[in-house]
Amino acid sequence: MQRTTAEGVLPKQRYRFCTVGQQTIFHGDGTDEDLILAATHWPGGECQKATLVLTDPPYQMPGIRAASGMAKTDGRITTLHHVKAHGLDNFEAEYLLETLPLWFPKNTMNALLWCNKDLLADYLMGGKLRGWAQNVLIGQKPSVIPFGGGHWSDVEYIVHLRKNATWVDGTGGYRGRVLPMVREPYGGHPTPKPVDLLMGQMALMSREGDLVVDPFCGTGSTLVACHRMGRRGIGIEKDAHWFEVACQRLEEEVNGTGLFHSAMD
């Protein structure tokens, strides 16, 4: 199966990618500013901005945290968690918050971020410091995870950060704060997100033809939802295996085949 690269916006910067229909997945780091710049100018060089970022970034998990502490950045006191998970070494929640605005028009924010309890405060604090409104949704798992002492986990947190954000009334999308999460395994990924849940949130926070972004797209569930909802989608995945799986999944979803196709400008 053919593999090609896409020319980035910056000279000598190149990224692997696949495009299927109106959905494009890049192979790289979802907090790489150069890659975000390339993706927002793909394919023809004209800048395109997102209406919604919907993503499941790396969690801080017991046993894999490398370091945590208080760091002062630009006069702000910020908690930085460095984790090693999903192929992202030294991931910093704060840096994701710094790069999120690059996807949006100026003075706009509309992001749904999955997280666990260890990162919940970081995202809420970071959003507050930037003047973004915050809301917390609960993803209700169908069963508990028997891990550790005390209460076992049967929920995930979904932080909604917004400013001048799109909200579409009368769509029929579920507006409650507790969202059922029935796993839809694909390709053996450990944390797949339900496509129906993603579609429901897209219906509330974007319109047909809008651009929706997932900087940590895993097996591509968000882009499958984009295709079904008539949204344009951009995904980024750092892990080479899941990048390949996501590309094949999109091909199956859009064209009904298992063939991989790449594109060049």
Side-chain angles (χ1 to χ4, degrees):
M1 292 183 289
Q2 185 182 10
R3 296 294 184 272
T4 63
T5 58
E7 186 74 30
V9 173
L10 300 182
K12 300 181 181 179
Q13 187 69 53
R14 299 178 68 84
Y15 304 99
R16 296 177 61 210
F17 75 105
C18 72
T19 295
V20 185
Q22 292 187 303
Q23 317 304 321
T24 298
I25 303 176
F26 291 89
H27 180 214
D29 185 342
T31 60
D32 178 348
E33 294 185 18
D34 291 345
L35 177 49
I36 294 171
L37 180 62
T40 54
H41 287 77
W42 177 256
E46 182 178 349
C47 184
Q48 55 177 342
K49 294 295 186 179
T51 300
L52 174 65
V53 167
L54 201 163
T55 194
D56 183 12
Y59 288 6
Q60 177 190 352
M61 300 294 289
I64 61 172
R65 178 173 55 187
S68 68
M70 302 302 292
K72 193 166 185 177
T73 305
D74 298 331
R76 300 189 298 268
I77 300 296
T78 307
T79 302
L80 300 180
H81 295 286
H82 301 272
V83 302
K84 185 175 183 179
H86 301 284
L88 287 168
D89 295 349
N90 301 320
F91 176 78
E92 298 179 357
E94 173 63 15
Y95 191 62
L96 173 58
L97 292 170
E98 288 290 336
T99 55
L100 272 176
L102 299 177
W103 293 107
F104 294 98
K106 188 176 181 180
N107 296 320
T108 302
M109 174 56 54
N110 195 18
L112 283 176
L113 310 177
W114 263 256
C115 69
N116 63 2
K117 63 181 179 61
D118 298 294
L119 290 175
L120 179 61
D122 289 23
Y123 287 123
L124 293 174
M125 180 186 297
K128 183 176 182 179
L129 288 170
R130 292 167 172 81
W132 303 335
Q134 310 118 52
N135 199 357
V136 179
L137 311 180
I138 301 295
Q140 180 70 54
K141 301 176 183 178
S143 59
V144 298
I145 299 176
F147 179 81
H151 293 92
W152 288 346
S153 174
D154 61 351
V155 302
E156 293 181 53
Y157 301 98
I158 308 168
V159 177
H160 185 199
L161 302 174
R162 56 191 174 85
K163 181 176 182 179
N164 299 322
T166 296
W167 186 267
V168 184
D169 288 316
T171 63
Y174 180 66
R175 296 182 62 165
R177 296 189 183 186
V178 179
L179 308 176
M181 289 186 56
V182 179
R183 294 294 189 196
E184 298 177 5
Y186 188 92
H189 195 280
T191 58
K193 295 299 175 283
V195 173
D196 285 347
L197 185 156
L198 303 176
M199 291 171 61
Q201 296 307 302
M202 284 183 195
L204 291 171
M205 288 179 275
S206 66
R207 295 180 172 86
E208 188 172 353
D210 284 351
L211 176 63
V212 177
V213 171
D214 186 346
F216 303 91
C217 71
T219 60
S221 297
T222 300
L223 275 69
V224 169
C226 284
H227 172 68
R228 295 180 185 179
M229 294 291 291
R231 274 60 168 171
R232 295 174 294 126
I234 289 177
I236 300 176
E237 176 53 44
K238 186 173 185 179
D239 186 283
H241 171 71
W242 299 125
F243 168 76
E244 300 288 348
V245 170
C247 291
Q248 179 170 327
R249 183 182 186 185
L250 271 182
E251 187 69 37
E252 293 171 351
E253 173 72 22
V254 176
N255 296 329
T257 72
L259 299 176
F260 179 104
H261 291 286
S262 302
M264 295 262 320
D265 60 356

